[in-house]
Amino acid sequence: MLSSTFSRWASINNHGPKATTTTTALLQKISHSYALGRQLFSTAPILDNNSYDKLGIIGLGLMGHGIAQTAAMAAATSKNNNNNIHSSIIAYETDPTFLTRGRDRIQKSVDKLLTKGKLTSSQATSVMDKITFTNDRDALNDVDLIVEAIIENIDLKKDLYSDLGDRCKPSTIFASNTSSLSITQMALASHRPSQFVGIHFFNPVQLMKLVEVVKTEHTSDAVFDTTMEWVEQIGKVGVKCRDTPGFIVNRLLVPNLVQAMLLVERG
């Protein structure tokens, strides 16, 4: 429409065919860029049944193994069989050693809960059966939600999300467990910023109830609301916050710690 309108304007004002051709090409590029921008920053991504049935966890370290266990326990101990939270959980690590270590951590924790009588034998078995442990990243391609909990390195995270954005199904939602890095930077690297949130758990994940759910200026309202519901489904208390350094807890905690140290120095 823009191209044809300018063509008519150039003809009427005697700017000649060359000006018309050049500007038409330019407007076509602008139109293409606009369409691409709408795709990248759309606020209405597809959500499969408004739920996160199949969950992916990337990184099984201190935080990641706890997130995987918490989600699996919520699914295995759900009292409402018609509202089973997750049909499956894919736990991914690049290094087989770290994968085994993460699985052992979860097994040890589940065994302890079983010994204390907080899980039945069938529930304990169900927790472990819910989780598929893998070094194959392709296993994440069709999950509904991916929660990333790798080391706090923004470049590594951006590279990871760029790859995930290319390989995962269009409706997959991405979430970073970072405690302080920019959610917006990672969201833009994923090429689907409207489908990106921050989900910051606290350590130990199995015990700490609070979860900061972080929304950027690009995050879809539907994605954010569904994520808040998911946090509640797995037994946590979600608090809403914007993408700001330190989010809520660390933004309040760090200045207080600094003041405490200054007081100690003053004697």
Side-chain angles (χ1 to χ4, degrees):
M1 181 180 291
L2 286 173
S3 299
S4 60
T5 300
F6 184 83
S7 296
R8 290 196 298 271
W9 177 85
S11 176
I12 292 171
N13 290 277
N14 297 316
H15 285 281
K18 184 176 181 180
T20 301
T21 301
T22 301
T23 308
T24 298
L26 176 61
L27 289 173
Q28 287 174 340
K29 290 181 179 180
I30 293 173
S31 179
H32 174 72
S33 298
Y34 175 71
L36 180 60
R38 288 190 65 183
Q39 179 182 357
L40 286 177
F41 297 101
S42 168
T43 56
I46 299 171
L47 276 175
D48 290 345
N49 300 319
N50 294 318
S51 65
Y52 300 144
D53 175 53
K54 194 171 184 180
L55 177 67
I57 306 292
I58 298 181
L60 288 180
L62 185 63
M63 300 302 291
H65 93 275
I67 298 170
Q69 180 186 334
T70 298
M73 286 182 59
T77 61
S78 176
K79 295 180 180 179
N80 184 357
N81 293 328
N82 295 322
N83 189 30
N84 204 343
I85 302 170
H86 301 297
S87 63
S88 64
I89 298 169
I90 308 298
Y92 167 78
E93 265 285 5
T94 55
D95 189 313
T97 301
F98 293 152
L99 184 71
T100 300
R101 188 178 302 167
R103 179 172 53 210
D104 291 345
R105 277 177 163 175
I106 296 174
Q107 185 69 68
K108 182 179 179 180
S109 179
V110 169
D111 289 344
K112 186 180 295 185
L113 292 171
L114 177 62
T115 301
K116 291 182 176 181
K118 294 185 177 181
L119 286 177
T120 66
S121 179
S122 61
Q123 286 174 333
T125 300
S126 181
V127 169
M128 298 308 296
D129 288 347
K130 264 306 175 189
I131 308 173
T132 298
F133 298 90
T134 182
N135 296 123
D136 182 8
R137 191 175 290 186
D138 284 341
L140 299 167
N141 292 357
D142 67 340
V143 301
D144 300 305
L145 170 67
I146 290 178
V147 181
E148 163 268 313
I150 67 173
I151 62 172
E152 294 283 65
N153 182 305
I154 190 64
D155 292 327
L156 285 178
K157 289 178 186 282
K158 287 165 67 175
D159 288 344
L160 171 64
Y161 283 118
S162 178
D163 178 66
L164 292 173
D166 291 337
R167 72 169 57 241
C168 292
K169 67 180 182 179
S171 61
T172 300
I173 308 304
F174 299 147
S176 177
N177 182 59
T178 183
S179 61
S180 59
L181 298 178
S182 170
I183 300 297
T184 299
Q185 287 188 40
M186 290 181 271
L188 294 174
S190 74
H191 309 302
R192 53 176 84 178
S194 64
Q195 295 168 236
F196 204 110
V197 293
I199 306 181
H200 179 219
F201 291 83
F202 292 85
N203 182 46
V205 177
Q206 296 92 327
L207 299 178
M208 299 295 283
K209 287 287 188 179
L210 184 65
V211 176
E212 294 173 322
V213 184
V214 187
K215 184 177 185 180
T216 76
E217 61 180 308
H218 308 299
T219 307
S220 158
D221 289 340
V223 166
F224 188 76
D225 291 344
T226 302
T227 304
M228 286 290 294
E229 291 174 8
W230 175 75
V231 167
E232 183 179 346
Q233 287 178 330
I234 63 171
K236 301 301 182 182
V237 178
V239 291
K240 301 177 181 180
C241 57
R242 290 286 182 176
D243 185 18
T244 185
F247 310 137
I248 297 175
V249 175
N250 285 334
R251 195 175 181 90
L252 294 172
L253 176 64
V254 173
N256 280 281
L257 291 176
V258 171
Q259 288 301 315
M261 289 186 288
L262 290 174
L263 288 172
V264 172
E265 286 182 353
R266 292 169 187 167

